[in-house]
Amino acid sequence: MPERGFTASLSPAEFKALFRGHPGGVAVITADAGDGPVALTATSVSSVSAEPPLLIFSISTLSSSAGVLSRAETVVVHLLDAHDLELAKLGATSGIDRFAQGRGWSRLTTGEPVYDDVRAWVRCAVIDRMDAGTSTVIAAHALESGFGRDVAPGEAGDALVYHNRGWHRLSDQSRIAD
């Protein structure tokens, strides 16, 4: 996609300040393109369509996991809650082997790495990638899922969100309206 020449643009610092106040749900994305498993924490996961079941997320091209995620045909997106905070921190830590830290994980019968005991996970086939600045946006088709802890419709659960450079838990006390 060719870059457009805009006469004005927010600086990176202004853009980051803008989104610091916009909370994002927390997920860990895993993949293995044949070189060993990788994982990263993302707050950019969003559902796109229920029929067919599609989601998107973005990854920084500077991430140590970017190379594998740019080649992987499938990924596992782990949707986290507050009980998964240590996994979220693990996926956000640079320069470590995220599968050698004692955190339980296994491989699905199809080969993808999946962390144990997370709120929910979804195995996806990558259907498209788009370069977007210093990131890559990945579109994926949901193939199978698993739940460690489900949340009943209308219940707050213990959703994990990232807001203003910190981890937060959504609960019944955080609800302000129906």
Side-chain angles (χ1 to χ4, degrees):
M1 172 188 278
E3 287 192 33
R4 297 181 187 178
F6 294 106
T7 57
S9 181
L10 291 177
S11 71
E14 290 170 320
F15 193 71
K16 289 177 183 178
L18 181 70
F19 274 88
R20 233 187 355 260
H22 185 72
V26 182
V28 166
I29 300 162
T30 59
D32 189 341
D35 305 326
V38 298
L40 64 85
T41 297
T43 58
S44 60
V45 175
S46 182
S47 65
V48 174
S49 169
E51 207 171 305
L54 303 175
L55 59 86
I56 60 170
F57 60 91
S58 66
I59 57 166
S60 169
T61 55
L62 303 175
S63 167
S64 61
S65 301
V68 170
L69 287 167
S70 71
R71 296 187 318 275
E73 294 180 12
T74 57
V75 297
V76 176
V77 178
H78 302 74
L79 302 172
L80 308 183
D81 65 16
H83 303 282
D84 302 313
L85 178 59
E86 292 309 312
L87 178 58
K89 289 179 179 179
L90 179 69
T93 303
S94 297
I96 62 167
D97 179 349
R98 294 173 182 114
F99 293 89
Q101 297 295 318
R103 172 71 192 208
W105 68 281
S106 60
R107 290 191 183 269
L108 298 174
T109 58
T110 49
E112 298 86 357
V114 62
Y115 284 106
D116 299 336
D117 303 320
V118 295
R119 187 191 75 75
W121 59 265
V122 57
R123 177 179 164 261
C124 302
V126 174
I127 59 170
D128 204 0
R129 291 178 177 87
M130 178 184 78
D131 291 335
T134 59
S135 293
T136 300
V137 177
I138 297 175
H141 185 116
L143 302 172
E144 71 177 292
S145 64
F147 287 89
R149 292 177 297 283
D150 199 2
V151 179
E155 294 296 316
D158 281 321
L160 180 62
V161 297
Y162 195 74
H163 177 257
N164 200 18
R165 297 185 180 170
W167 308 101
H168 297 269
R169 166 188 280 152
L170 294 183
S171 66
D172 287 331
Q173 291 77 22
S174 61
R175 179 175 286 201
I176 58 173
D178 287 331

